[in-house]
């Protein structure tokens, strides 16, 4: 097993090491939950102070023009486009991931009007499934949602399927789909492919256009470090944009919102996928995270991500053989995102004991301990120390304390 000195040499040689200083990392905490809520960019408090005190406090409504608030959704969309292999005019930041999932699903069934099925995999993130259910329940039986196990997906690609909604990196296990292969196989059957990038945007190189993806959505508050409840993004390939009449036809997706006309006319291009007034405070915080991500080489980010997850698996398995941990993530790093999950029958209290000692991961029912690795601010030493603390908790039996079994509202 590697010793601490070897680990510290890895940190010393790390090309991304300087990024760590751009983030606020609380003392005494090893944060392995950036796949759920990214840490705060150090630039965020001053930016928020300016937006709140000057732009909002002093300049008030004139800021829509004076500080180009109205342009924020597209400006941030352009920054995200650079991270996901899209053109700037194909991405806009708006609303939430759930809402954007609904927009893409409803667009896809419009674009594929002779087909009645929207398809996804069982065990996908709940909101994705619920949005599918909501759309089909309100379709007067013209749309049916279908969930099938991952390894049966391709067998269900047929000419009744309008759209495939698929999450690139699975939220529980980190299983990573092959975007190119799945997009090609589904499109060969005339299916439109919607990628959910919540657990991959900002964590690995993504090239939507090289894969010919149709649509995509993703989250601002995970690997993009945009802050709690940050706005989300939506990608619609240029070739589809003009053919969609948005179902969520909000006024900011109108061609001329300030005509205040009674008749909805969709804006040209990606702007029609906006809906409501943008959350300026949320977008301003997200901009801080995106500025940092824009400077990072995603190929290096991925390389380090693989090294961090490999190290964690190696450390946990070497230190904790016989303690009941079973790897829930793929062992092959090529099909693993930037997280590592383990099954353990006492997963909940073990995670609470870790959190109590400053190692922050999370728990997902029924028995999964989940650890996210965020190469811009997680060091090799963090990984080594997290495994050491886990070993200490297991060997001492500290996790058995009754208070660690009390369930909180958010796990
Ligand atoms: C985090 C996540 C979401 C979040 O949806 P919200 O609308 O932001 O609550 C959706 N889908 C997946 C796959 C996620 O991982």
């Amino acid at each position: 097993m590697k010793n601490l000195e070897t680990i510290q040499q890895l940190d010393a040689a790390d090309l991304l090491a300087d990024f760590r200083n751009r983030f606020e990392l609380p003392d005494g905490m090893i944060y392995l939950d950036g796949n759920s809520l990214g840490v705060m960019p150090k630039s965020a408090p001053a930016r928020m102070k300016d937006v709140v005190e000057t732009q909002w406090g002093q300049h008030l409504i004139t800021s829509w023009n004076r500080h180009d608030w109205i342009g924020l959704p597209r400006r941030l969309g352009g920054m995200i486009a650079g991270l996901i292999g899209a053109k700037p005019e194909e991405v806009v930041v708006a609303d939430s991931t759930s809402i954007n999932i609904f927009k893409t699903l409803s667009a896809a069934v419009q674009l594929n009007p002779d087909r009645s099925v929207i398809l996804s995999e069982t065990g996908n993130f709940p909101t994705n499934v619920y949005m599918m259910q909501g759309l089909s329940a309100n379709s007067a039986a013209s749309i049916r949602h279908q969930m099938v196990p991952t390894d049966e997906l391709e067998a269900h690609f047929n000419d009744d399927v309008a759209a495939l909604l698929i999450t690139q990196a699975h939220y529980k296990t980190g299983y990573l789909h092959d975007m190119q292969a799945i997009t090609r196989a589904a499109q060969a059957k005339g299916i439109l492919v919607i990628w959910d990038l919540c657990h991959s945007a900002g964590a690995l190189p993504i090239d939507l256009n090289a894969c010919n993806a149709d649509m995509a959505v993703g989250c601002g508050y995970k690997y993009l470090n945009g802050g709690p409840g940050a706005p989300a993004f939506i990608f619609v390939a240029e070739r589809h944009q003009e053919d969609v009449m948005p179902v969520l036809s909000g006024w900011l997706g109108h061609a001329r919102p300030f005509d205040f006309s009674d008749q909805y006319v969709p804006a040209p291009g990606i702007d029609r996928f906006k809906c409501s007034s943008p959350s300026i405070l949320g977008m301003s915080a997200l901009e801080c995270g995106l500025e940092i991500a824009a400077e990072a080489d995603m190929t290096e980010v991925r390389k380090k991500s693989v090294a961090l997850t490999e190290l964690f698996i190696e450390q946990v398995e070497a230190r904790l053989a016989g303690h009941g941990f079973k790897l829930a993530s793929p062992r092959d790093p090529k099909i693993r995102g930037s997280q590592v999950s383990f099954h353990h029958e006492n997963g909940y209290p073990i995670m609470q004991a870790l959190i109590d000692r400053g190692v922050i991961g999370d728990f997902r029912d029924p028995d999964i301990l989940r650890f996210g690795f965020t190469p811009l601010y997680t060091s090799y030493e963090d990984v080594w120390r997290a495994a050491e603390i886990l070993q200490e908790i297991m060997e001492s039996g500290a996790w058995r304390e009754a208070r660690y079994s009390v369930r909180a509202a958010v796990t």
Side-chain angles (χ1 to χ4, degrees), residues 13-50:
D14 176 11
L15 297 174
L16 298 173
D18 288 348
F19 280 101
R20 188 175 167 95
N21 301 323
R22 310 276 293 274
F23 295 99
E24 184 72 30
L25 295 167
D27 282 342
M29 185 188 283
I30 297 174
Y31 193 71
L32 302 180
D33 219 349
N35 55 328
S36 212
L37 174 64
V39 300
M40 187 181 77
K42 280 186 182 162
S43 55
R47 185 76 52 88
M48 297 309 282
K49 185 170 167 20
D50 175 53

Side-chain angles (χ1 to χ4, degrees), residues 303-323:
K303 258 196 231 160
K304 183 175 171 192
S305 157
V306 168
L308 293 171
T309 55
E310 289 283 274
L311 176 64
F312 190 64
I313 294 170
E314 173 202 299
Q315 287 283 315
V316 170
E317 292 187 338
R319 291 170 184 268
L320 290 158
H323 279 279

Side-chain angles (χ1 to χ4, degrees), residues 20 24-32 39 353-361 379 381-382 385-386 389:
R20 188 175 167 95
E24 184 72 30
L25 295 167
D27 282 342
M29 185 188 283
I30 297 174
Y31 193 71
L32 302 180
V39 300
L354 277 170
I355 293 171
D356 204 27
R357 287 158 181 75
V359 178
I360 315 293
S379 68
E381 187 169 340
D382 285 340
R385 294 214 181 271
I389 292 168

Side-chain angles (χ1 to χ4, degrees), residues 35-36 95-101 124-129 131 166-172 196-200 217-222 229-232 370:
N35 55 328
S36 212
D95 308 303
S96 65
T97 304
S98 301
I99 302 295
N100 289 337
I101 288 170
N124 199 344
F125 191 82
T127 208
N128 301 46
V129 184
M131 284 294 164
I166 184 149
T167 305
Q168 190 184 11
H170 195 272
Y171 77 103
K172 264 192 201 171
D196 183 324
L197 308 177
C198 281
H199 282 273
S200 46
V217 298
C219 205
Y221 51 80
K222 292 172 179 163
R370 197 171 70 142

Side-chain angles (χ1 to χ4, degrees), residues 216-262:
V217 298
C219 205
Y221 51 80
K222 292 172 179 163
Y223 293 94
L224 298 177
N225 306 307
F233 65 87
I234 176 170
F235 157 90
V236 178
E238 205 167 24
R239 62 184 178 280
H240 295 311
Q241 292 173 358
E242 299 299 320
D243 297 327
V244 176
M245 179 57 106
V247 172
L248 295 183
S249 38
W251 77 299
L252 277 187
H254 193 280
R256 292 169 305 279
F258 290 90
D259 278 6
F260 296 101
S261 144
D262 279 349

Side-chain angles (χ1 to χ4, degrees), residues 105-154:
L105 285 170
S106 55
V109 298
Q110 261 182 40
L111 293 168
N112 242 342
D114 301 329
R115 299 175 174 222
S116 59
V117 173
I118 46 179
L119 180 69
S120 193
E121 51 184 338
T122 43
N124 199 344
F125 191 82
T127 208
N128 301 46
V129 184
Y130 304 159
M131 284 294 164
M132 294 172 74
Q133 290 171 355
L135 183 64
S136 61
N138 284 282
S139 71
S142 68
I143 304 294
R144 204 158 53 80
H145 66 279
Q146 187 178 19
M147 314 297 299
V148 302
T150 306
D151 56 2
E152 290 173 27
L153 271 177
E154 281 208 42

Side-chain angles (χ1 to χ4, degrees), residues 326-344:
K326 184 170 170 286
L327 186 64
S329 299
R331 194 168 288 280
D332 177 358
K334 286 204 271 313
I335 54 168
R336 186 174 68 230
S338 206
Q339 72 179 66
V340 174
S341 302
F342 285 98
H343 296 283
H344 194 291

Side-chain angles (χ1 to χ4, degrees), residues 55-68:
Q55 298 186 15
W56 178 17
Q58 301 302 313
H59 301 158
L60 282 161
I61 202 163
T62 65
S63 292
W64 286 104
N65 292 317
R66 181 167 178 170
H67 298 290
D68 196 24

